[in-house]
Amino acid sequence: MAPRERFFNPLAIFLLGLLGFLSFPAEAAIKKYNFDVGTSSFTDVQLKNISRLCHSKPTVTVNGRFPGPTIYVREGDRLQINVTNHVQYNMSIHWHGLKQYRNGWADGPAYITQCPIQTGNSYTYDFNVTGQRGTLWWHAHILWLRATVYGMIVVMPKQGIPFPFPQPNREFEILLGEWWHSDVEKLVKQGNDMGLPPNASDAHTVNGKPGPLFPCSEKHTFAMEVEQGKTYLLRIINAALNDELFFAVGGHNMTVVEVDAVYTKPFTTPSILIGPGQTTNVLVKANQLPSRYFMAARPFQDVPLPIDSKTATAIFQYKGIPNTVIPVLPQLPAQNDTAFVLSYNHKLRSLNSAQFPANVPLTVDRHLFYTIGLGRDSCPTCVNGTRLLASLNNISFSMPQIGLLQAHYFNISGVYKTDFPDKPQTPFNYTGAPLTVNLGTLSGTRLSNIAFNSTVELVLQDTNLLTVESHPFHLHGYNFFVVGTGVGNFEPAKDPAKYNLVDPIERNTVGVPTGGWTAIRFRADNPGVWFMHCHLELHTGWGLKTAFVVEDGPDSDQSVLPPPKDLPQC
């Protein structure tokens, strides 16, 4: 019988890990979980009432938890997670950052690798955790349901293999998110019908709680107790739908040791930037005057767009200090501190050790250049006669009605075309004055075909179509190396000479700077259909997404695995 979710005891996890280091290596285990989305009765489906900010609303949860249960696994283990959908929405779960080698059937994005799980039905995600360790996460990958349907994945190293940094005394989970008073799905539908963005969130949260700077939130505050002189590992996830976030601990520095489940060269910083979909592990030493300190998260936004700019807080409390002591707030970067963001991202480097090398592709078989555009489309029923849309290379992605991986595997015609252009068909001054000419944005389910085991360089270029803005992009099925980034237009004759091909950061989600570009490289050694999209849910819904069809290799162990028997059908 699959274990139900249990409360996370960081000390217990640490002791188990320590025992693992002292014992003989064991064979890979099968870890089983049951995820009940909502709760069921004999007569209907039910949502859980959750109260925040003096309001209560029916909320989609997993196993009654917000955030949802944490998955604990060790590198090399096999995971079997049975998801049963008891709510009125279709559901799918994405295991963000897990590579799912040859097994896109377990990746989870609705209508990309599977049809969604319909009300009353179940699906078992069955996959191996191979060659990865660190902090990842899971979330709903349909509609805006990841507003409350998300949780952490903790992948411990294989037994006998320690962290490549000082062993912490204890670990804590920090999940950053957003909260809306209203039903998020209703807000999104209303916005789409009007051709406008939905309302910004009413609060940011730390572990589902906004903290005492918000009304009715004294009891809705996460607190962690620390002891003088001890070192703590914070596993941090940005599960927010639409905001890049600064995070800091009052009075304390942090040492970054991992991002997106890849070890980094350690560096110390007073604050971090973490985009939607990204994870960051930091070490914090309790070496300050024993007191109470706020941990705080607040958005980064360097263009004048309406966002939820309020600060979420949690408490970093030394043992023995009474709760009557007022916590000290950290000095977060200014909301528009682009210089800090560029400097922080420049410091992120792969560890590139003998044990954890950075295998950067040094030659490129396929060069791709994708422009990121925002714009408007005709909509006679909308408020201004237009609706907002987003595009890559001037193509706004249309979602299919059947899973793209199914169409690819079973050779079903008419679902998609593999004619996505390698570069924009109409070049222009991408980051110059706002473009006034209409490029005639196209819509379609157009993918890019990639040869197996070829090396790919993709340059993502922000543009001033409607406005410039930063964009966190996530590639499913792969990690990639961030070999270069810059502000302004990418210059192919000059910028590649500045690439870092020695120890660039390896990750699965990367930010494209406002009015700038980012270059990534990866080897296409994972066959299947793999989604790539902006992790701002607002932009994804407007069409800022595409997918790669990676061909099978020549050998039997280099092709897509057969689908599971219980694969959901549309």
Side-chain angles (χ1 to χ4, degrees), residues 95-250:
W95 317 96
H96 186 114
L98 287 166
K99 295 179 184 177
Q100 310 289 9
Y101 183 65
R102 303 171 56 210
N103 189 24
W105 312 110
D107 191 42
Y111 301 106
I112 305 297
T113 58
Q114 68 169 91
C115 295
I117 306 166
Q118 297 181 17
T119 303
N121 291 351
S122 299
Y123 176 51
T124 299
Y125 293 92
D126 188 344
F127 54 91
N128 297 319
V129 180
T130 304
Q132 294 181 272
R133 82 295 307 163
T135 302
L136 295 169
W137 67 302
W138 59 266
H139 60 82
H141 211 301
I142 186 170
L143 306 172
W144 280 38
L145 292 173
R146 74 177 173 94
T148 56
V149 179
Y150 63 87
M152 185 171 286
I153 303 173
V154 175
V155 183
M156 295 298 292
K158 291 182 178 179
Q159 290 188 354
I161 299 179
F163 297 133
F165 49 80
Q167 182 71 36
N169 297 101
R170 189 173 177 182
E171 301 181 8
F172 287 94
E173 299 173 1
I174 305 293
L175 294 97
L176 309 176
E178 291 181 270
W179 177 261
W180 280 261
H181 289 320
S182 304
D183 183 311
V184 179
E185 294 307 321
K186 289 182 180 178
L187 286 176
V188 174
K189 185 180 185 306
Q190 182 183 47
N192 289 339
D193 290 344
M194 298 174 67
L196 300 171
N199 294 343
S201 57
D202 295 291
H204 290 95
T205 58
V206 180
N207 292 346
K209 301 174 180 180
L213 302 186
F214 290 86
C216 303
S217 296
E218 285 294 334
K219 67 177 181 178
H220 297 304
T221 300
F222 171 73
M224 55 180 279
E225 186 179 77
V226 301
E227 295 185 44
Q228 178 74 30
K230 292 189 175 181
T231 299
Y232 298 87
L233 179 69
L234 305 187
R235 298 179 179 269
I236 308 167
I237 291 172
N238 184 354
L241 272 73
N242 293 306
D243 290 328
E244 298 175 279
L245 296 170
F246 293 120
F247 176 86
V249 182

Side-chain angles (χ1 to χ4, degrees), residues 244 246 267 272-273 300 302 333 336-349 470 482 484-488 511-518:
E244 298 175 279
F246 293 120
F267 68 94
I272 67 168
L273 174 80
F300 160 63
D302 56 356
N336 62 349
D337 195 341
T338 304
F340 173 87
V341 169
L342 294 174
S343 173
Y344 173 82
N345 286 330
H346 182 72
K347 294 174 184 176
L348 291 171
R349 303 294 178 96
S470 58
V482 184
T485 190
V487 175
V512 179
T514 300
W517 57 271
T518 294

Side-chain angles (χ1 to χ4, degrees), residues 286-449:
N287 57 4
Q288 299 301 306
L289 178 70
S291 186
R292 300 175 82 221
Y293 298 86
F294 273 130
M295 298 180 284
R298 187 179 65 199
F300 160 63
Q301 180 62 272
D302 56 356
V303 290
L305 295 174
I307 62 168
D308 170 13
S309 60
K310 296 179 285 293
T311 302
T313 55
I315 296 175
F316 187 91
Q317 181 164 342
Y318 281 71
K319 187 175 181 178
I321 300 300
N323 291 342
T324 53
V325 174
I326 298 175
V328 177
L329 268 170
Q331 185 67 40
L332 288 165
Q335 181 174 305
N336 62 349
D337 195 341
T338 304
F340 173 87
V341 169
L342 294 174
S343 173
Y344 173 82
N345 286 330
H346 182 72
K347 294 174 184 176
L348 291 171
R349 303 294 178 96
S350 291
L351 189 57
N352 195 23
S353 64
Q355 188 175 11
F356 303 104
N359 297 315
V360 189
L362 300 181
T363 60
V364 177
D365 300 316
R366 184 81 173 271
H367 288 271
L368 305 176
F369 183 80
Y370 290 179
T371 54
I372 304 165
L374 301 176
R376 298 184 183 276
D377 196 18
S378 175
C379 176
T381 62
C382 295
V383 171
N384 299 314
T386 61
R387 64 180 178 90
L388 292 161
L389 80 166
S391 63
L392 287 168
N393 280 357
N394 211 39
I395 297 171
S396 188
F397 189 83
S398 298
M399 292 296 286
Q401 299 302 308
I402 182 177
L404 293 175
L405 182 57
Q406 291 168 279
H408 168 64
Y409 186 85
F410 293 107
N411 197 26
I412 302 172
S413 62
V415 178
Y416 63 86
K417 295 180 179 179
T418 54
D419 62 349
F420 191 90
D422 286 3
K423 58 184 180 180
Q425 296 176 322
T426 307
F428 60 97
N429 182 5
Y430 304 116
T431 56
L435 196 69
T436 55
V437 63
N438 184 1
L439 292 180
T441 301
L442 305 173
S443 295
T445 310
R446 301 171 64 178
L447 316 184
S448 184
N449 199 75

Side-chain angles (χ1 to χ4, degrees), residues 8-23 72 74 156 159-160 163 167-171 230 235:
F8 177 45
N9 185 329
L11 182 58
I13 294 297
F14 165 67
L15 292 174
L16 286 172
L18 185 60
L19 287 173
F21 296 148
L22 299 176
S23 63
Y72 303 106
R74 192 175 290 278
M156 295 298 292
Q159 290 188 354
F163 297 133
Q167 182 71 36
N169 297 101
R170 189 173 177 182
E171 301 181 8
K230 292 189 175 181
R235 298 179 179 269

